[in-house]
């Protein structure tokens, strides 16, 4: 006995129940396999866009702070207290960033490479401003957002050229 024969043997009421069951099953499959995953994907993408917009706004604000620090044109004081490495280390301790330093490596030509793990951007900007006032110049700077107001940082520092009088 095949499926068509079974269908013919069903009463009209039973056929309606089977059709209704098949419709409900089809709706469940469409909802579970198409609609729900699509809806979740849209929600996740919307959250990602909102997070990226928030990161962008923070980066723009951070860039403005960096431009403001660069534009200060504060006359750099001569580096005192020993080597560039010592000045950077001492200044980081004074600003409370010593525990955030992952790597502090002297490079050739009087440069020092510094890597910091997750650190508050405002604290980092203050530290870089303090270094600038001590005659230290930023040669390279890389900031990677790692949370609200937090960055991972990699930078190369060197001595600012002596001001001619």
């Amino acid at each position: 006995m095949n499926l068509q024969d079974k269908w013919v043997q069903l009463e009209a009421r039973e056929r309606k129940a089977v059709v209704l069951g098949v419709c409900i099953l089809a709706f469940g499959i469409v909802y579970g396999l198409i609609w729900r995953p699509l809806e979740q994907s849209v929600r996740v993408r919307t959250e990602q866009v909102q997070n990226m917009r928030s990161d962008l706004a923070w980066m723009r604000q951070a860039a403005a702070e960096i431009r403001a620090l660069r534009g200060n044109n504060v006359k750099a004081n001569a580096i005192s207290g020993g080597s560039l490495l010592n000045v950077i280390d001492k200044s980081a301790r004074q600003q409370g960033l010593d525990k955030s330093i992952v790597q502090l490596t002297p490079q050739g030509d009087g440069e020092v490479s510094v890597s910091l793990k997750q650190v508050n951007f405002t604290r980092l900007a203050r530290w870089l401003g303090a270094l600038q006032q001590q005659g230290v110049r930023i040669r390279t700077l890389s900031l990677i957002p790692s949370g609200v107001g937090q960055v991972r940082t990699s930078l190369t520092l060197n001595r600012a050229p002596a001001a001619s009088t």
Side-chain angles (χ1 to χ4, degrees), residues 3 11 15 32 42 45 53 55 64 108-109 115 120 130 145 151 157 163:
L3 196 55
E11 293 181 21
R15 286 184 195 154
V42 167
R45 297 294 185 252
R53 284 182 178 158
D55 287 347
D109 299 330
S115 294
N120 179 280
V151 291
L157 303 168

Side-chain angles (χ1 to χ4, degrees), residues 42-129:
V42 167
R43 187 172 1 101
V44 166
R45 297 294 185 252
T46 302
E47 289 174 6
Q48 287 175 339
V49 167
Q50 289 173 345
N51 289 340
M52 288 179 171
R53 284 182 178 158
S54 172
D55 287 347
L56 178 61
W58 177 82
M59 284 183 198
R60 285 181 175 160
Q61 183 258 340
E65 287 183 33
I66 289 172
R67 281 192 295 273
L69 285 174
R70 282 187 180 166
N72 276 344
N73 291 332
V74 177
K75 196 178 229 182
N77 298 331
I79 294 179
S80 60
S83 72
L84 178 61
L85 190 64
N86 289 340
V87 169
I88 293 168
D89 184 53
K90 181 179 177 184
S91 179
R93 274 187 270 118
Q94 288 172 345
Q95 296 292 329
L97 295 174
D98 53 324
K99 290 179 177 39
S100 297
I101 294 179
V102 176
Q103 184 178 17
L104 186 64
T105 309
Q107 304 291 316
D109 299 330
E111 293 185 345
V112 175
S113 173
V114 184
S115 294
L116 292 103
K117 61 184 176 183
Q118 189 170 351
V119 64
N120 179 280
F121 176 78
T122 305
R123 184 176 282 183
L124 174 68
R126 269 186 269 175
W127 177 55
L128 294 176

